[in-house]
Amino acid sequence: MTNLPFAFFVGSESTDTLSLAVSMLIIFGSAKLLAELCERLNQPGIIGEILAGVLIGPSLFGWITPDEFTHTMASLGVLFLLFRVGLEVDAEELIKLGGTAVLVGTLGVAIPFAAGFTFYWVVGRSSIEAIFLGTALTATSVGITAQVLTARGLLNRKAARIVLGAAVVDDILALLLLGLVSSIATGTVHLVEIAVTTLLAVGFIVIVARWGSSAVARVAKGLGGKLQVGEAEFALSMVLLFALAALSEVIGVAAIIGAFLAGMAITKSVPHRVHDLADGVAELLVPFFLAEIGLQLKLSVFQDSRVMLLALLLIPVAVLSKLLGCGLGAIGHGRKTAFRVGSRNDSARRVLHGCRSGWSYLACAEGGHIRDDRFHGGRRSDDRAAFVEVVIPACAPRGTRRKGCGD
């Protein structure tokens, strides 16, 4: 899992594989160290945690190689991140903004898709590549969005609630769109399957968001102080977290959506002790999620000048399309809120994060990792666009990097 500089940690064991403790030390320690450095430089700590993965990963120092362990820790990290965010969100308040969130999420998918398709079609690419690039630009990381909002203490803002709701809608629509595009690429469109998945996903989210809190409250009241295990409320919270995450995957949406809904459903039924414990677990695991983004980056694909040129041309397309799509969706709440939702979603990240998937696609396509014949079957790229996550926020307008004004 690492190279020779840390051989002394493992004694007589093979230097090809680090002990679990040392692996965690390197990943967690470097992530927090660079996060602290970024905060001192007046930049979001999330940049440092992603950059740490780039530095210790195969692209540079080669100390840590992404494997099943790093993937598992990252998956747990993003689950607890969204669970923690859910604990801070009032379901009723989120439902009130549901119409706006749906509109923002829908336009935040439709306009970037059209922009990405048009961009690649204009530069002379094939239709299937243009369709895939458009699909890539629709993606917004719920995990990254949630982490930035949490770190900046913005979860109680109206714009932030719209962003979270829209991110859930965005995630569902992007997954469905990817399934549709993959079906088109293979020549077989399963409309019934896509329709059923859509109905199940929407039904699941609406039911849990609307009635989850009351259902959990009744169960908690019925159990009362009957449970004898230590930290009983936290144990029940974990059961609900993993149950809804698993159910989300069965239905066809990301497990993190279930984690978010679990936190939102249980927040009014548990003591503050559960919040504190969840925060502690998240603080341990979230750096692994962010560092793993950097670990997946392969800088070698950017050695091709065509990749860099196309990516630099794509960045303004991605940013402006997200700005327009998300901003128009929130225009009913005033231009100030619309600008926050569109340009930064009160954090500068959601708009700019749209570049992530597009950059990843460009790197893979130009680097030879994606071709028309290899797109069939919906092959997912392993080349994550962490580079954009690290560089683009530094280019954001100054006012978007720090806490915004009240609603």
Side-chain angles (χ1 to χ4, degrees):
M1 193 172 179
T2 189
N3 277 328
L4 290 177
F6 296 94
F8 63 93
F9 277 113
V10 294
S12 60
E13 297 179 11
S14 171
T15 57
D16 292 334
T17 304
L18 274 180
S19 70
L20 177 64
V22 177
S23 299
M24 295 183 70
L25 169 63
I26 295 172
I27 298 173
F28 184 85
S30 61
K32 285 302 182 181
L33 179 62
L34 289 184
E36 176 67 20
L37 178 61
C38 284
E39 290 290 349
R40 289 177 180 270
L41 294 175
N42 200 31
Q43 296 295 322
I46 187 176
I47 298 177
E49 292 177 294
I50 295 173
L51 182 59
V54 178
L55 293 176
I56 66 177
S59 292
L60 292 177
F61 296 158
W63 294 343
I64 300 291
T65 302
D67 57 11
E68 190 63 28
F69 166 72
T70 60
H71 177 69
T72 300
M73 294 294 288
S75 298
L76 286 172
V78 73
L79 279 181
F80 275 91
L81 168 59
L82 268 295
F83 178 70
R84 179 174 65 175
V85 170
L87 286 173
E88 303 299 325
V89 174
D90 189 321
E92 294 180 359
E93 292 295 323
L94 193 62
I95 290 173
K96 289 179 182 178
L97 296 170
T100 301
V102 170
L103 186 57
V104 170
T106 302
L107 292 179
V109 167
I111 293 180
F113 176 84
F117 176 87
T118 302
F119 170 81
Y120 233 33
W121 182 75
V122 168
V123 299
R125 297 289 175 161
S126 66
S127 296
I128 192 64
E129 286 182 303
I131 290 174
F132 186 72
L133 178 62
T135 303
L137 286 189
T138 65
T140 296
S141 170
V142 183
I144 296 294
T145 301
Q147 174 64 6
V148 173
L149 293 173
T150 301
R152 295 301 181 194
L154 301 171
L155 289 176
N156 63 331
R157 306 290 177 87
K158 179 193 294 185
R161 293 193 295 270
I162 294 174
V163 168
L164 287 174
V168 173
V169 175
D170 190 309
D171 188 77
I172 295 172
L173 292 178
L175 287 173
L176 294 174
L177 183 58
L178 180 58
L180 178 61
V181 170
S182 298
S183 298
I184 294 174
T186 57
T188 305
V189 180
H190 304 285
L191 292 179
V192 175
E193 181 180 341
I194 293 174
V196 170
T197 300
T198 303
L199 291 174
L200 287 175
V202 173
F204 169 68
I205 292 173
V206 170
I207 290 172
V208 177
R210 178 64 181 83
W211 294 287
S213 295
S214 58
V216 170
R218 285 194 294 270
V219 172
K221 183 178 179 180
L223 290 175
K226 297 177 182 178
L227 297 178
Q228 300 300 313
V229 297
E231 304 291 356
E233 294 89 352
F234 183 70
L236 287 175
S237 300
M238 293 301 96
V239 170
L240 182 64
L241 161 61
F242 294 123
L244 291 186
L247 185 57
S248 294
E249 290 191 324
V250 171
I251 289 174
V253 296
I256 56 176
I257 302 301
F260 172 70
L261 293 173
M264 197 165 58
I266 206 169
T267 184
K268 293 182 178 180
S269 304
V270 295
H272 198 269
R273 169 71 174 167
V274 172
H275 292 240
D276 292 338
L277 291 172
D279 285 343
V281 177
E283 285 299 322
L284 170 64
L285 295 177
V286 169
F288 289 91
F289 158 61
L290 297 172
E292 205 249 355
I293 297 174
L295 287 173
Q296 296 288 348
L297 178 66
K298 297 178 182 177
L299 290 175
S300 59
V301 299
F302 295 104
Q303 293 176 354
D304 190 332
S305 60
R306 294 175 300 171
V307 176
M308 296 299 297
L309 177 60
L310 283 173
L312 291 174
L313 292 174
L314 177 62
I315 287 173
V317 175
V319 171
L320 292 176
S321 63
K322 277 289 184 182
L323 170 64
L324 180 62
C326 297
L328 284 177
I331 196 67
H333 292 271
R335 287 182 296 178
K336 192 174 183 179
T337 298
F339 178 75
R340 287 176 178 166
V341 172
S343 67
R344 58 187 171 93
N345 287 328
D346 237 21
S347 69
R349 205 64 65 242
R350 189 168 187 270
V351 173
L352 299 173
H353 192 81
C355 303
R356 176 175 181 264
S357 296
W359 189 296
S360 178
Y361 171 72
L362 282 173
C364 297
E366 294 297 326
H369 298 288
I370 293 179
R371 300 185 182 88
D372 284 357
D373 59 332
R374 298 184 70 175
F375 174 71
H376 295 284
R379 181 178 182 273
R380 182 180 179 182
S381 164
D382 288 330
D383 295 314
R384 305 296 178 90
F387 183 79
V388 171
E389 294 289 355
V390 174
V391 174
I392 294 301
C395 302
R398 193 67 183 172
T400 68
R401 297 184 201 165
R402 309 304 298 177
K403 293 183 179 180
C405 301
D407 291 320

